[in-house]
Amino acid sequence: MLDIFRMDSRRLFQSRTFYIMLAITLALIVFVCLMLSIMSSPQVLRAMEESGAEVEAADYQMGADIAGMSQLAFVHECLANGFILILAGMGMTFFAGGDFAGGYIKNICFARPRRWEYIASKTLIGGVYSGVMTLLAVLFSLALPPLFGLHPTASGIGDVASYTFWLWLPTWAFSLMALTMVTITRSASLGVFMSVFCGGGVPALVLGALTGALGWPRVDKYFISSLVSVSCAPGMEQAGTILAGVAGWSLLYITASLLLTKNRDI
């Protein structure tokens, strides 16, 4: 299993798609910083008001809130919208899907008949993929605001490290969903769709509205998109909820991937 993991690691860091996903991550954070800079500028708001746009007191208050954010709150504002999940899921989809598209899986399963080793290696690669993406996304979100005239108040290194860890766990679990989708279809199509659909929080939103209307327990809080947007928020880290959600989804995805590779011809 470790041999497969080392080989996958080399393939990952030599993959052009991996660096494209990191570049997209940087571009999206730049876009978010630009939008927050515009929204926090009183001069821009006054110019909009003078040009006839409807600007309310709440808009000025929101701008003041953005300008007074801590670094950690700013990072969360950049990353809580789900795009980190979408990119991690899509990246893992393309990486795992390449095994089937290029016939790599046949060679591996011939040399290593115990297919659990393949799934174990891909599980670890999902941790590496999501870990690198999460760490760089946090660093980008810390480094870029001054370039746009934003100066969030400093947060402690320990707080930033803790936030990064709790954000990484659900992102890792989400990358395992992409692996399962690939083992179902042997292609990237379903993985890409589910990454966008689930990473954007659509299932959690629908289920949350349904359970709220019926008065049922809010199980949507255990959805990975909810863990990233709510449970990981600075000052709101709910370790039990995050660990329970990550453990449950990871177990489901790993078990499904094992069964699909074991019971189907490669």
Side-chain angles (χ1 to χ4, degrees):
M1 185 268 289
L2 293 178
D3 291 336
I4 302 176
F5 173 68
R6 283 193 291 268
M7 186 163 45
D8 277 343
S9 297
R10 287 194 295 270
R11 290 177 56 232
L12 175 64
F13 290 107
Q14 293 173 358
S15 167
R16 182 171 57 183
T17 303
F18 177 62
Y19 295 101
I20 290 174
M21 290 298 169
L22 295 182
I24 294 174
T25 300
L26 174 59
L28 288 174
I29 293 175
V30 167
F31 176 75
V32 173
C33 287
L34 175 62
M35 295 305 297
L36 291 177
S37 174
I38 294 173
M39 293 166 60
S40 67
S41 173
Q43 293 83 1
V44 172
L45 292 175
R46 281 196 294 270
M48 292 172 59
E49 192 171 13
E50 291 171 0
S51 66
E54 185 176 349
V55 180
E56 301 178 352
D59 298 317
Y60 285 98
Q61 181 59 49
M62 182 172 61
D65 292 340
I66 294 172
M69 278 184 177
S70 68
Q71 286 182 314
L72 204 54
F74 190 90
V75 171
H76 185 69
E77 187 71 21
C78 290
L79 304 182
N81 50 30
F83 84 79
I84 190 73
L85 295 178
I86 295 173
L87 293 178
M90 291 177 65
M92 191 62 182
T93 296
F94 292 131
F95 184 78
D99 292 352
F100 293 93
Y104 171 75
I105 184 68
K106 294 182 182 293
N107 297 329
I108 285 297
C109 290
F110 177 78
R112 299 279 184 171
R114 293 180 297 184
R115 296 183 183 180
W116 68 266
E117 292 183 289
Y118 174 80
I119 298 300
S121 172
K122 284 298 184 287
T123 299
L124 294 178
I125 283 294
V128 173
Y129 203 119
S130 58
V132 172
M133 183 167 287
T134 301
L135 178 60
L136 290 181
V138 170
L139 293 177
F140 289 153
S141 300
L142 290 172
L144 291 178
L147 301 179
F148 295 87
L150 297 169
H151 301 280
T153 57
S155 296
I157 295 177
D159 293 333
V160 174
S162 175
Y163 177 82
T164 304
F165 173 76
W166 290 115
L167 180 64
W168 167 58
L169 287 182
T171 307
W172 184 0
F174 194 82
S175 72
L176 300 181
M177 179 203 70
L179 173 62
T180 303
M181 297 302 103
V182 170
T183 58
I184 290 174
T185 63
R186 310 300 170 92
S187 69
S189 54
L190 181 60
V192 170
F193 171 77
M194 291 299 290
S195 294
V196 175
F197 184 68
C198 297
V202 176
L205 181 64
V206 172
L207 184 61
L210 179 62
T211 54
L214 297 177
W216 295 351
R218 296 296 298 271
V219 295
D220 58 294
K221 68 180 181 179
Y222 294 103
F223 279 43
I224 294 177
S225 59
S226 298
L227 298 180
V228 168
S229 63
V230 178
S231 297
C232 291
M236 292 290 290
E237 291 101 335
Q238 302 174 36
T241 302
I242 296 173
L243 291 174
V246 167
W249 289 110
S250 297
L251 181 61
L252 173 64
Y253 295 139
I254 292 172
T255 301
S257 297
L258 284 170
L259 292 175
L260 288 166
T261 53
K262 180 179 179 181
N263 296 329
R264 293 178 64 186
D265 291 334
I266 297 299

